[in-house]
């Protein structure tokens, strides 16, 4: 039973205990009020529990939402005080009207005030109508009790001095039911359940008042028990009502504050109105004439109902005026809106079109019966139909289709959003002309993937095509023009541009239809060939033959050739294929230019037994020291090195590229983390930190944080001593999970270092994606051979900007003692380069530390 599960726990144990306590105390309570009123003490405890429950629930609500229930909690406290005063001080002190009655009256009328607070949340509450409705219910109930000759209005059997009290109890019950019934009949959707339960609490309270009146008119412990039980249930029902109340004040919009009928309030209204004719009919059938009071009451009910009818007519008139005014405002808004609005049925017939919509759709006659699909371009009709029939209203992106204006103008492209009321077969279409915007978007997209000079695809488009799935074998050609610099030097850059355009034209004539020609920049081009390596060699040779023919630019004729490198596009991806083709291109340049070279094992510097080398431990670790200004080693940068019997020392990009081509990047990355952490953890100086680079294009992002944590745990190295070094290219060429993995590692204490800072994008853009701790600046990359002074100025600016973010700066490329001193003056915290210890084995680092006297 869901209502029982929703009932607060305090209510579920308070009600049984209250019933048990009343069953024990009612028989022993003095009926004349002269002895101890044990049942009053029990009711006071029940009220205390209700107050605690109401206040506890109100603490979980917003201040606005909690106000009615805190009011009821305070009323429960007042009821507790009144009951304990009456129970603890029986006799003449509180016999008759006294302070306990004042407190009890304030507590007893609070539910009506709470109903009023809830009614205020309903939009456009008609208080005059609510007052009349409450009077109708109250008078009707009083007339019913008068017609039926109940002791509540005719207490002839009660003691003469207590008859007024009996009438007061009976009138109180009628007023409470009337007021609560009128106020709680209409509420909001969010408050409907709590208002209905609160109406039940008022009903219990009215029942307690009636039973108390009967206990006075016809003294019996049964009436006393009924009164006490009803009062206890009323108090706990208030807590249940508070538990159903929303925790936030949701009636902030017109929709949320819209009126909703409450069934409990409707039952009270119907009971009061139907019981009156039933009671009159019963009295007439029994031969009992109506008393003067009953006749006056009936007249009052009929008068109030007539007044309510007048108020209803006036309210309906105001509502009609508001609807007409709103309709006029809406029509004017639609008529003047620049956005087209149309209403369509489920058969695509346009039932209404605004002037802007008619202009967009090319409709001349507003009364013309038009089918939307007839206006849509034939190639877009299937899309428009599918978007309407298959997608729920409001789901998915806006629909775009072209329409054919009747005046023969260029077709317009429209963006359409739709909305539909539940249960309706009509859709409201919001039309917008996006012809210019979409044309600009397509032009920007074309420019983003096209070289502006030659019209060929650019580097971005090339790598996107290489990343696309393909079922066949593909190869990459990278070519560079031989002697192109002389063209710019002799004839000028304009002639050079004309020659590049001619090269692009010739390339398109020698390749096949499914091959892709792209310009990489400058005089470098690339061709993505569909076919085997032999097919790619054939295409490359045709390229060399075509480009070695003379080129005419204006008054000049140049003999410009081309060198081509070829590499297969394998599972390792486009970045690896490009690197291999570029290496083959360099080999072609070294071989005399104007020739083709294919990437082979010598070119790639790859060895098939790399996996065995990692497994058998044939790799070695080399460490580059980054020193503090005082000369102490503060950080060691770990680099994997492989001594190959044929190729010699393989390191850096050659080693990582070989691992990538053989699918061993993840194993090499794991080996480097484990070996480097273990080596630095074994050093005697615990102040030395470790940096491990994650090279661009070779990072295994999935599970990186777990690998780092495992390496640290196995070696015992503190996470704060490890720095993971990345470049901007690493972030751009790795999977999207790299950022989250680095953030997870940093959360454990590992630091993140941005390498080659100053050569790419803004620090602010990077820090928005990933928090950083260090930046490394390569001085040799900031300036040329004679630009050291300028590079140091840039270095100083970088140190100033990074220090404001709390980042430590490392200066790389330190080649001379003078450059070291200048970098220290710029404010860097660490320095490394050829002028400092580098390419050290683990044993050499240990010997170096042994020669240093600890500070």
């Amino acid at each position: 039973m869901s209502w029982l599960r929703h009932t607060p726990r305090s209510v579920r144990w308070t009600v049984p205990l209250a019933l048990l306590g009343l069953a024990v105390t009612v028989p022993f309570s003095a009926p004349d009020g002269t002895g101890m009123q044990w049942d009053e003490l029990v009711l006071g405890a029940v009220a205390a529990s209700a107050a605690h429950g109401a206040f506890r629930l109100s603490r979980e609500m917003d201040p606005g939402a909690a106000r009615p229930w805190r009011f009821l909690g305070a009323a429960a406290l007042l009821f507790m005080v009144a009951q304990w005063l009456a129970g603890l001080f029986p006799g003449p002190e509180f016999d008759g009207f006294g302070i306990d009655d004042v407190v009890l009256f304030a507590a007893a009328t609070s539910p009506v005030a709470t109903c009023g607070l809830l009614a205020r949340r309903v939009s456009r509450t008609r208080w005059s109508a609510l007052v009349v409705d409450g009077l109708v219910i109250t008078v009707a109930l009083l007339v019913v009790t008068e017609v039926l000759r109940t002791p509540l209005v005719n207490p002839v059997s009660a003691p003469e001095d207590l008859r007024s009290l009996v009438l007061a109890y009976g009138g109180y019950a009628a007023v409470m039911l009337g007021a609560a019934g009128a106020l709680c009949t209409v509420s909001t959707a969010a408050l409907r359940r709590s208002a209905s339960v609160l109406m039940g609490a008022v009903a219990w309270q009215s029942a307690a008042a009636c039973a108390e009146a009967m206990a006075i008119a016809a003294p019996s412990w049964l009436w006393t028990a009924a009164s006490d039980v009803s009062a206890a249930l009323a108090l706990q029902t208030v807590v249940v009502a508070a538990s159903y109340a929303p925790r936030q004040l949701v009636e902030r919009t017109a929709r949320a504050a819209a009126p909703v009928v409450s069934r409990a309030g409707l039952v009270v209204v119907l009971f009061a109105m139907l019981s009156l004719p039933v009671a009159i009919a019963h009295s007439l059938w029994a031969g009992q004439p109506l008393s003067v009071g009953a006749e006056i009451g009936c007249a009052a009910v009929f008068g109030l109902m007539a007044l309510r009818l007048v108020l209803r007519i006036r309210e309906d008139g105001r509502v009609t005026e508001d609807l007409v005014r709103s309709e006029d405002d809406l029509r004017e808004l639609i008529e003047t809106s620049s956005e087209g609005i149309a209403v369509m049925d489920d058969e695509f017939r346009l039932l209404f079109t605004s002037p802007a919509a008619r202009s967009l759709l090319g409709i001349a006659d507003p009364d013309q019966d038009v089918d939307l699909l007839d206006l849509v371009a034939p190639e877009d009709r299937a899309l428009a139909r599918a978007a309407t029939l298959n997608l729920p209203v409001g789901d998915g992106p806006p629909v775009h289709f072209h329409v054919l204006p009747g005046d023969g103008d260029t077709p317009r492209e429209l963006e359409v959003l739709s909305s539909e009321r539940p249960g309706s077969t009509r859709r409201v279409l919001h039309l917008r002309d996006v012809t210019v915007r979409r044309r600009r978007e397509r032009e920007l997209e074309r420019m983003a993937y096209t070289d502006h000079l030659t019209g060929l695809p650019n580097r971005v488009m090339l790598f996107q095509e290489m990343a696309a799935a393909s079922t066949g074998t593909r190869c990459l050609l990278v070519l560079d023009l031989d002697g192109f610099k002389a063209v710019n030097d002799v004839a000028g850059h304009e002639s050079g541009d004309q020659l590049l355009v001619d090269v692009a034209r010739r390339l398109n004539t020698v390749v096949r239809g499914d091959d892709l020609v792209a310009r990489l920049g400058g005089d470098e081009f690339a061709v993505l060939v569909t076919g085997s390596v032999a097919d790619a060699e054939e295409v490359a040779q045709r390229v060399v033959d075509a480009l070695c023919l003379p080129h005419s630019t204006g008054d000049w004729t140049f003999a410009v050739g081309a060198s081509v490198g070829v590499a297969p596009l394998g599972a390792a991806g486009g970045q690896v294929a490009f690197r291999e083709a570029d290496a083959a291109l360099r080999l072609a340049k070294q071989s005399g230019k104007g020739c083709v070279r294919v990437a082979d094992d010598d070119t790639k510097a790859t060895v098939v037994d790399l996996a065995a080398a990692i497994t058998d431990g044939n790799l070695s670790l080399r460490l580059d020291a980054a020193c503090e200004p005082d000369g102490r080693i503060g950080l060691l940068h770990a680099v994997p090195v492989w001594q190959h019997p044929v190729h010699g020392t393989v390191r850096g990009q050659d080693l990582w590229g070989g691992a990538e081509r053989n699918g061993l990047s993840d194993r090499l990355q794991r080996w480097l983390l484990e070996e480097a952490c273990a080596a630095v953890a074994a050093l005697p100086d615990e102040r030395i930190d470790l940096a491990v680079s994650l090279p661009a294009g070779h990072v295994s992002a999935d599970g990186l944080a777990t690998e780092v944590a495992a390496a640290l745990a196995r070696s015992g190295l503190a996470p704060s001593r490890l720095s993971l070094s990345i470049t901007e290219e690493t972030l751009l060429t790795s999977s999207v999970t790299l950022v989250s993995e680095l953030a997870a590692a940093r959360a454990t204490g590992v630091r993140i270092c941005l390498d080659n800072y100053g050569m790419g994008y803004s620090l602010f853009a990077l820090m928005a994606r990933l928090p950083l701790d260090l930046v490394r600046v390569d001085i040799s990359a900031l300036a040329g051979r004679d630009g050291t002074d300028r590079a140091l100025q840039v270095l100083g600016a970088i140190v100033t900007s990074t220090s404001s973010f709390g980042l430590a700066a490392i200066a790389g490329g330190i080649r001379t003692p003078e450059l070291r001193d200048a970098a220290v003056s710029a404010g860097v915290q660490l320095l490394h380069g050829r002028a400092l210890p580098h390419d050290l084995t683990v044993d050499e680092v240990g010997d170096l530390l042994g020669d240093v006297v600890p500070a």
Side-chain angles (χ1 to χ4, degrees), residues 623-628 632-638 680 687-692 721-723 751 753 774 810 830-832 837:
L623 302 170
D624 297 331
C627 300
E628 296 180 354
R632 188 186 71 84
I633 298 177
L635 182 142
L636 293 172
H637 178 234
V680 174
R687 296 176 297 173
I688 298 178
D689 296 334
L690 167 68
V692 175
R721 296 178 62 187
L722 173 63
S723 297
R751 298 188 296 174
C753 175
L774 306 95
I810 306 174
L830 292 172
L831 309 100
H832 77 94

Side-chain angles (χ1 to χ4, degrees), residues 60-137:
E60 302 173 1
M61 306 177 187
D62 290 344
R67 188 175 297 113
W69 312 109
R70 289 175 181 170
F71 191 80
L72 280 180
L77 289 178
L78 293 177
F79 188 85
M80 175 197 71
V81 172
Q83 294 301 108
W84 283 352
L85 287 176
L88 294 174
F89 302 99
E93 293 85 351
F94 291 96
D95 188 16
F97 188 81
I99 185 62
D100 60 330
D101 296 300
V102 175
V103 175
L104 182 61
F105 177 78
T109 56
S110 61
V112 174
T114 300
C115 292
L117 292 176
L118 297 181
R120 288 185 57 195
R121 298 188 186 177
V122 182
S123 63
R124 304 182 65 175
T125 301
R126 304 296 185 185
W127 292 103
S128 58
L130 292 180
V131 171
V132 173
D133 290 341
L135 290 176
V136 170
I137 299 173

Side-chain angles (χ1 to χ4, degrees), residues 836-854:
L836 298 167
H838 63 280
D839 200 22
L840 305 173
T841 64
V842 177
D843 294 337
E844 289 173 344
V845 172
D847 295 340
L848 185 62
L849 294 177
D851 296 337
V852 177
V853 180

Side-chain angles (χ1 to χ4, degrees), residues 708-727:
V708 171
L712 292 172
R714 189 175 294 110
S715 64
L717 186 71
S720 59
R721 296 178 62 187
L722 173 63
S723 297
L724 297 178
S725 179
I726 59 172
T727 64

